[in-house]
DNA sequence: CATGAATGAGCTTTCATTCAT
DNA sequence: AATGAATGAAAGCTCATTCAT
């Protein structure tokens, strides 16, 4: 039982394949994305891909698995400031080229490849919500919130406003985060 | 030998093709949807489709064009009641089978077939927003809103909360509309 | 319900595809035979094949279906003469190039594509056996056979001798039919 | 550091590979059989196979080479009894799962890989024929046969009846051997 | 020498589109 | 104007074989 029998698998190759897959998944969408295309763009042959993943769905899910939300630490000193900063980060990622396309493709494939949506939730949706929920929970601990506020609903409103806005115009003004936070905050903060 | 010989059947055929296309677009997504599949489901031949529309994108666009938001008139007597009713309608349409898949597919195709998203906005997104915006405008006329409220942002929050919620769990509790409306309303109504 | 809507299917094309398929089936064997190869050899595109048959197995079975045993009428005046003539025909078809290869391929595929063997039996094996059995039945009606003779076993011996011989050497001497018939006949004819 | 270090394991590996190859050859047929499949079933890697044999054909040939007819000694005291016993053995091996598939595959591959048929003859066909021929030769020495009987043809009839029967129905009744032997024996034994 | 990795070519099948009737 | 037939291109996947460790 040696540590490494045979030719070692090239870690760099694997990374490149997944990177390319994430890109094509966003650019082309799941069903347009082809293994041929991934292989060509990654500079490997198709069996190199099939040796690692059992098929297209498996590759796509693995690719989504590699995505990790990389958000900077937020600490502005105030709840409103933190929420605004978090949503501005979100806004930026949404407005990146194909920023919404990946969201679209996992939703579109829900009926055919539900793993995509499941993983997308686990890797991207939930972590982002957790950040925002964390800010709200801290505010609650600091007794800034009125009683009975539903934090999950608040998170959905804050984040969702951007989805809805994008769906309406593809353009999100830079002050949008402030406006949204202000409104929601008025709705959930303890009345003065 | 009437003047309009052969035409009556035409309109019906056209309608059936578009109806089938809308269904398949939601069920399969744009790139999975095939002209073959549309032709078979509509009971016509492929050239019958190509005679009317120039290709797959044109057909899909035309299909989305036929979609019309059919929401019942809302009039509960209060702004909060009207908003809640409107969002409950929205929630129902979201939770229908493949309710989010069409949203997903038009987003996923934004890079390849932007007309789909454009028309989706015109036919579905904007009319729904208009209904909700209408309720808010009436509230403003009735001086129920505090000054400076951004109505579009409010609409985005109300509607978007559902997108965000769906993206997080695919399940939307029936009380969600009330919770969202309550929070937003507190944020935008004139303080008592 | 018109007689012929649309472009008529080219009967000649269909015939050519099947002809090529029979040839390649014998030359290459079932699993080596490819739809690509059939399409190229028949001068058509692959979808032209898929429009007519649902896949490789369907095409191969259809091809075997077209095979028809074309044996000349036999009438030499005597049972021994008729049997010898029938077996000489059989011998000739066996010794044709790839004459045994089709037999081999349907046997080899019994586990994977049993329809092939089933059809091969129906189209080739059984008709040939019927001819020989017919000769023996006539002999029985003429009271040439001893009582209790098992005709099916006799047919198997007559025909099978050629399979066994081929399996032993690929060469069948021209007098083989006479030898076999003589021996079997002595075994089944009424003792003088 | 002995003289033959590492060899013992080799022989066992080789044996296992060949054993698996024989099985897959019968189960899948030559062209369906894959080196990948052999390697997996034998628990070795592909280069381990390629180091020993030059390719697929070479491996299959070697595998057939290992086959040895293992028939029990027959001695019932009478020629008819011995022949019947020998054919019953044959019948059993034919009716084993995939019993005819190997016959089929070597016939099907005659055009592409004639070595398979050649070796199959040498290792299986001829030894079996030799057993039956031996019984007949002993009968001739005992002056039980009429003069001028062609022993090879007799062997072909006896053995071939089973091939023909299988090709007709895949089912061989247990009394078939007796019937065949009785008929052929009547045809070749010295008239009383 | 055995291993796992890599490859090019091939397979069956489906699609968007155009042609012929 | 509608049909069924035909097509070139591509998709997902597997194979026999070779390479690098």
């Amino acid at each position: 039982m040696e540590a490494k029998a045979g030719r070692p698998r090239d870690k760099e190759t694997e990374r490149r394949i997944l990177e390319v897959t994430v890109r094509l998944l966003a650019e082309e969408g799941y069903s347009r994305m082809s293994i041929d295309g991934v292989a060509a763009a990654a500079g490997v042959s198709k069996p190199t891909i099939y040796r690692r993943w059992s098929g297209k769905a498996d590759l796509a899910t693995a690719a989504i698995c590699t995505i990790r939300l990389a958000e900077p630490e937020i600490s502005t000193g105030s709840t409103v400031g933190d929420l605004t900063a978090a949503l501005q980060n979100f806004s930026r990622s949404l407005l990146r080229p194909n920023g919404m396309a990946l969201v679209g493709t996992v939703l579109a494939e829900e009926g055919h490849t539900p793993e995509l949506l499941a993983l997308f939730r686990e890797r991207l949706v939930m972590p982002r919500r957790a950040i925002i929920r964390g800010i709200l929970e801290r505010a609650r601990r600091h007794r800034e919130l009125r009683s009975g506020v539903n934090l999950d609903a608040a998170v959905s409103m804050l984040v969702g406003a951007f989805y809805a806005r994008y769906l309406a115009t593809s353009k999100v003004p830079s002050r949008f985060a402030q406006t949204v936070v202000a409104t929601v905050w008025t709705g959930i903060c303890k009345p003065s």
Side-chain angles (χ1 to χ4, degrees), chain A:
Chain A
M1 214 190 302
E2 292 120 308
K4 38 181 173 169
R7 175 174 176 179
R9 193 176 281 187
D10 191 344
K11 269 296 178 190
E12 164 57 16
T13 295
E14 190 153 330
R15 206 193 48 71
R16 210 166 55 250
I17 294 172
L18 289 171
E19 181 184 293
V20 163
T21 304
V22 171
R23 179 166 58 80
L24 292 182
L25 211 46
E27 275 176 28
E28 310 285 336
Y30 176 77
S31 54
R32 250 186 236 272
M33 178 193 87
S34 77
I35 301 279
D36 253 313
V38 171
V44 298
S45 69
K46 278 183 286 180
T48 298
I49 295 176
Y50 279 97
R51 168 165 289 278
R52 290 167 165 80
W53 301 280
S54 69
K56 185 176 170 176
D58 196 29
L59 172 60
T61 43
I64 289 183
C65 263
T66 68
I67 304 177
R68 260 161 195 69
L69 192 63
E71 300 282 88
E73 270 300 304
I74 289 170
S75 181
T76 64
S78 76
T79 301
V80 165
D82 285 0
L83 289 173
T84 307
L87 291 185
Q88 272 164 345
N89 286 343
F90 178 43
S91 182
R92 265 190 296 277
S93 77
L94 221 63
L95 293 173
R96 258 199 294 264
N98 299 115
M100 277 297 277
L102 192 55
V103 179
T105 225
V106 301
L107 284 175
E109 292 293 322
E110 190 181 2
H112 285 93
T113 322
E115 315 92 87
L116 295 181
L117 179 50
L119 276 167
F120 186 78
R121 280 175 175 149
E122 183 183 325
R123 297 283 158 174
L124 283 179
V125 176
M126 286 318 187
R128 172 159 281 131
R129 289 180 70 102
I131 290 174
I132 296 168
R133 200 179 203 284
I135 298 172
L136 293 176
E137 282 170 346
R138 207 188 40 205
R140 169 175 282 169
R141 283 196 305 276
H142 292 175
R143 310 203 178 281
E144 296 171 8
L145 303 190
R146 64 183 75 189
S147 69
V149 165
N150 182 327
L151 294 195
D152 275 323
V155 172
S156 290
M157 277 177 275
L158 289 165
V159 170
F162 289 81
Y163 293 132
R165 170 79 201 193
Y166 188 92
L167 208 51
T169 69
S170 287
K171 303 238 160 2
V172 182
S174 54
R175 297 186 343 270
F176 194 68
Q178 289 167 44
T179 309
V180 168
V181 170
T183 306
V184 171
W185 184 246
T186 311
I188 65 179
C189 74
K190 201 168 268 180
S192 55

